[in-house]
């Protein structure tokens, strides 16, 4: 399992020249579409926008992590789902920013659980929700290495 977790995955993203924003995303045998909403000039709303995918990634990782933990503990969890929101807010963290218009990206995560759980179990589920790998990645020190190939 550790070898599989360390294996680098490749996702392909393609925006054909005849499209304005409608983009094909391929991960293994899975193909998805990303787009901008019609309110954005050229957007066709053919799929979620990139921030939606970010939230879906975080949400799916979180509920999977919770489910694994609950299964191991054999707690009476009937259902788990999430609602997530992304916004840009001026926050106290920006009070010392060079640009007075600077804003911080804020993701609001609400974990919704159903089942005969104690208050202590519910609190532990919230704690576990912050330990999913995607949450840790977003909160950690991240480095994005960019390169370009010209054909």
């Amino acid at each position: 399992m550790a070898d599989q977790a360390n294996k680098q995955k490749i996702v392909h993203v393609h925006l054909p020249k005849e499209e304005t924003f409608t983009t094909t995303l391929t991960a293994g045998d899975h193909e998805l579409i990303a787009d901008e909403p019609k309110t954005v000039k050229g957007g066709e709303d053919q799929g979620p926008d990139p921030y939606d995918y970010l939230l879906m990634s975080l949400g799916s990782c979180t509920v999977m992590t919770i489910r694994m933990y609950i299964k191991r503990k054999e707690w009476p969890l009937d259902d788990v789902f999430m609602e997530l929101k992304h916004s840009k807010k001026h926050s106290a963290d920006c009070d010392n920013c060079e640009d007075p218009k600077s804003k911080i990206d804020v993701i609001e995560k609400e974990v919704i659980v159903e089942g005969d759980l104690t208050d202590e179990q519910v609190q532990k589920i919230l704690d576990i929700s912050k330990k999913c790998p995607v949450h840790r990645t977003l909160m950690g020190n991240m480095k994005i290495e960019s390169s370009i190939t010209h054909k």
Side-chain angles (χ1 to χ4, degrees), residues 8-14 23-28 30-32:
Q8 188 175 24
K9 295 183 178 188
I10 298 175
V11 172
H12 296 276
V13 179
H14 181 231
T23 305
T24 303
L25 315 166
T26 307
H30 307 284
E31 187 172 285
L32 305 165

Side-chain angles (χ1 to χ4, degrees), residues 66-67 69-80 112-122 125:
I66 291 169
R67 180 68 73 188
Y69 182 83
I70 295 299
K71 186 174 182 180
R72 193 172 76 241
K73 292 291 189 179
E74 298 180 354
W75 288 353
L77 178 70
D78 296 329
D79 209 351
V80 58
I112 302 161
V113 292
E114 295 176 357
D116 190 22
L117 301 162
T118 67
D119 290 344
E120 185 178 295
Q121 289 171 324
V122 170
I125 290 170

Side-chain angles (χ1 to χ4, degrees), residues 25-78:
L25 315 166
T26 307
D29 293 334
H30 307 284
E31 187 172 285
L32 305 165
I33 299 293
D35 202 352
E36 288 292 338
K38 289 184 178 182
T39 56
V40 174
K41 187 175 181 180
E44 294 294 325
D45 204 21
Q46 295 295 309
D49 72 29
Y51 279 108
D52 291 338
Y53 276 111
L54 177 67
L55 296 178
M56 287 189 280
S57 175
L58 176 58
S60 61
C61 182
T62 302
V63 296
M64 289 177 191
T65 300
I66 291 169
R67 180 68 73 188
M68 287 187 328
Y69 182 83
I70 295 299
K71 186 174 182 180
R72 193 172 76 241
K73 292 291 189 179
E74 298 180 354
W75 288 353
L77 178 70
D78 296 329

